[in-house]
Amino acid sequence: MGLNAAPSANRLHIGFFGRMNAGKSSVVNAVTGQENSIVSDTKGTTTDPVMKTMELLPHGPVVIIDTSGFDDTGSLGSLRVEKAKRILNRTDIAVLVVDGQIGISKEDEELTELFKKKNIPYIIAHNKADLAGFSGKNEGNEVIVSAADGKGIFELKELLGKLAPKDSEKRLLGDLIEKGDVVVLVTPIDESAPKGRLILPQQLAIRDILDADATVVVTKETGLEKTLKDLAKPPKMVITDSQVFGYVQKIVPEDVPLTSFSILMARYKGYLETAVRGVRAIADLKDGDTVLMAEGCTHHRQCNDIGTVKIPNWLRKFTGKDIKIETSSGFGFPEDLSKYAVVIHCGGCMLNEREVLYRMKCAEDQGTAFTNYGVTIAYINGILKRSTSVLPGIAELLK
C-alpha cells in the first residue's frame, strides 16, 4: 500500500456471499473490472476468502471480499463455510449472489437471516441473466445481473453506493484541537518499531492534526523533556505510545493534557467507554485466571513484545497474582470467551470498526470484561483519569 492509499481498515468492506457456482467470483471480477478471483465451472473453486482493495465511485476506497460457497460440504467445506461466516464480522455491506436459474435456496435464506441478525445492509444479485429461461426484474434491494455480458453490473454498483454510509465526521483527535494549536507526539523507536515508517495510529494523528491547521511536533521519549522546554508555550496536548506511559507522565506537566494513540484509537473505533468500564476487572484478577491478549494484526514478535511480554509482566506485578496469558492475532479471535476473566485488545488500527465492535459485543454477551492496551497501561500506572480527561463523556465513567 502506498503512502497516499487509504488503509484497508478505514475502507468500506463489501462481502460477496452465496452458494457454490452461483457466480460470486465472476460478479466480483465484473464489479472490480479485474480478474481478482479464479473462475471455474468446478464447484468449490474459491477456497479462502479473496480480498481486493479498489475505488468504487462515487463512494471511494473499498475492500471487496469474495467468499467460498456457503453450501460447501465435507471437512474442508465446513472450514470454508466457517471462514465465510467470520467474514460477516467485518462486512459493512453484503452482496448475496443467487443463481438466477435456480432462485433463492435454503442456504441463501440462511445467509439473509445472518445479514439481518448482524444488522448488515445487503443486496441480492440474481446472476446469469444472460441464460435462457431467466426471469426477474430490479426491485428494492434486488438487482438482475449477468457477470458474462455485464448486464446490471452498473446498477449493482449504484445500489452499493446508495447503501454506503455517508462520509463520517468522526476524527481521531481533530475535534479536540483548534487552528494554531501545537500537539506533541511521542513515538518510541525500539526493536518493535517498523523499519522506515510510523505505525498507522501515528500516521493518522499527524494527518488529523494537519487537517485541523494545527502544528505537530514528533519526538522520541528520550527527547521529550528538551522538546517541551524548547516550545514557546505548553502544547495543547501530548499523545504518547502507551508502552512509555509511565516514563512520559513523569515529564509532562499535570496541566498539559496527556493521552495515548491506543486510547484515541479505542475512541475512534467506538469502544472506549466499554474499555474504560472493563479495565476495572484487572483489579479483581485471581490466581489461575486467564487473560486474553488480542491483536488485530500479525507480526513477528520481538523478545520484548508489548502484548505477550510487557503487559503480562506489568499485570502480574500490579495484581500480585499468578495469572495465565493466552494470545490471538489477526482474524483468529476466538468466539468462545467464557474461559477468560478479561480480554485486553490492541487499539485495532488494522481492523475495521465493525470487526472491533463485533469482538467487543462477543465479550459483553458472554459477561467477559473487554478493554485495550492503552487503557490498561494507563490504569496500571494510575493515570487513567488523567489520560482520558480530554475526551468528552469519559470522566463521568470514572467517578
Side-chain angles (χ1 to χ4, degrees):
M1 182 182 71
L3 288 176
N4 293 321
S8 291
N10 291 350
R11 291 173 177 250
L12 187 76
H13 283 52
I14 303 173
F16 285 72
F17 302 85
R19 299 173 69 241
M20 291 187 293
N21 268 29
K24 295 185 303 300
S25 298
S26 296
V27 173
V28 166
N29 288 342
V31 168
T32 62
Q34 303 174 38
E35 296 296 320
N36 301 312
S37 300
I38 299 173
V39 177
S40 170
D41 291 332
T42 303
K43 290 186 176 182
T45 300
T46 302
T47 53
D48 291 322
V50 177
M51 302 178 66
K52 173 66 179 177
T53 57
M54 66 170 290
E55 296 286 327
L56 181 63
L57 299 177
H59 172 75
V62 300
V63 174
I64 300 291
I65 312 171
D66 183 14
T67 65
S68 57
F70 204 69
D71 56 336
D72 211 341
T73 58
S75 58
L76 285 178
S78 298
L79 290 174
R80 294 172 186 172
V81 171
E82 186 59 35
K83 285 187 177 182
K85 286 184 176 180
R86 278 183 170 269
I87 289 295
L88 286 170
N89 300 333
R90 51 188 143 120
T91 297
D92 297 303
I93 301 176
V95 178
L96 174 61
V97 180
V98 175
D99 187 327
Q101 289 194 304
I102 298 175
I104 302 288
S105 67
K106 63 180 180 65
E107 290 85 7
D108 297 328
E109 291 176 346
E110 183 181 348
L111 276 165
T112 56
E113 287 304 311
L114 284 172
F115 299 157
K116 294 173 183 176
K117 181 180 179 181
K118 293 178 178 289
N119 296 315
I120 302 173
Y122 67 93
I123 296 168
I124 299 177
H126 297 272
N127 190 29
K128 305 183 182 180
D130 56 302
L131 300 180
F134 182 93
S135 63
K137 62 180 181 179
N138 294 344
E139 191 173 34
N141 69 329
E142 301 187 39
V143 60
I144 310 304
V145 304
S146 169
D149 62 19
K151 174 182 172 64
I153 297 300
F154 175 80
E155 288 76 11
L156 173 57
K157 290 182 179 181
E158 289 287 293
L159 270 179
L160 287 170
K162 290 178 181 178
L163 288 180
K166 305 304 178 186
D167 289 340
S168 173
E169 295 297 322
K170 184 168 56 175
R171 305 279 295 277
L172 186 68
L173 74 149
D175 59 318
L176 305 175
I177 57 178
E178 299 176 351
K179 182 178 180 179
D181 284 339
V182 175
V183 180
V184 176
L185 306 185
V186 183
T187 61
I189 304 297
D190 55 19
E191 68 273 11
S192 62
K195 300 297 182 183
R197 63 183 177 87
L198 298 176
I199 60 175
L200 183 58
Q202 295 164 359
Q203 297 177 41
L204 293 175
I206 291 173
R207 178 56 193 261
D208 217 14
I209 294 166
L210 296 177
D211 283 344
D213 290 325
T215 298
V216 58
V217 178
V218 184
T219 180
K220 295 197 295 185
E221 74 279 15
T222 52
L224 176 60
E225 190 168 7
K226 183 178 186 304
T227 297
L228 294 178
K229 288 181 179 178
D230 289 345
L231 292 175
K233 62 178 182 179
K236 176 72 173 184
M237 71 174 67
V238 175
I239 304 169
T240 181
D241 188 295
S242 299
Q243 62 183 311
V244 292
F245 242 148
Y247 178 88
V248 170
Q249 62 101 7
K250 296 176 182 177
I251 297 174
V252 179
E254 285 288 339
D255 59 346
V256 174
L258 170 66
T259 190
S260 76
F261 296 107
S262 182
I263 289 174
L264 289 175
M265 284 303 299
R267 173 177 179 257
Y268 185 69
K269 297 291 183 178
Y271 70 97
L272 179 57
E273 290 188 8
T274 297
V276 169
R277 292 191 185 98
V279 77
R280 295 172 179 173
I282 290 175
D284 297 325
L285 288 173
K286 304 181 294 294
D287 288 333
D289 278 348
T290 303
V291 174
L292 177 65
M293 303 297 302
E295 293 187 339
C297 60
T298 56
H299 61 269
H300 174 65
R301 300 189 188 280
Q302 302 292 329
C303 58
N304 208 19
D305 182 71
I306 181 68
T308 58
V309 179
K310 288 184 178 179
I311 294 180
N313 287 342
W314 292 332
L315 284 174
R316 293 186 177 105
K317 182 178 180 180
F318 177 79
T319 63
K321 305 299 182 181
D322 181 20
I323 58 176
K324 300 176 183 177
I325 301 292
E326 291 189 8
T327 61
S328 70
S329 60
F331 296 116
F333 187 78
E335 293 193 7
D336 183 2
L337 302 172
S338 58
K339 66 185 288 188
Y340 303 111
V342 60
V343 174
I344 304 179
H345 207 287
C346 68
C349 64
M350 300 306 293
L351 302 173
N352 68 341
E353 182 176 317
R354 182 176 285 272
E355 169 81 16
V356 177
L357 294 182
Y358 165 77
R359 297 180 178 196
M360 178 194 76
K361 189 68 165 53
C362 280
E364 288 182 333
D365 289 347
Q366 297 174 58
T368 301
F370 186 91
T371 187
N372 90 334
Y373 286 15
V375 173
T376 296
I377 297 171
Y379 178 74
I380 289 173
N381 280 278
I383 56 171
L384 182 57
K385 183 176 182 180
R386 180 185 181 186
S387 61
T388 57
S389 61
V390 71
L391 306 177
I394 301 301
E396 291 75 9
L397 302 177
L398 299 175
K399 292 180 179 178

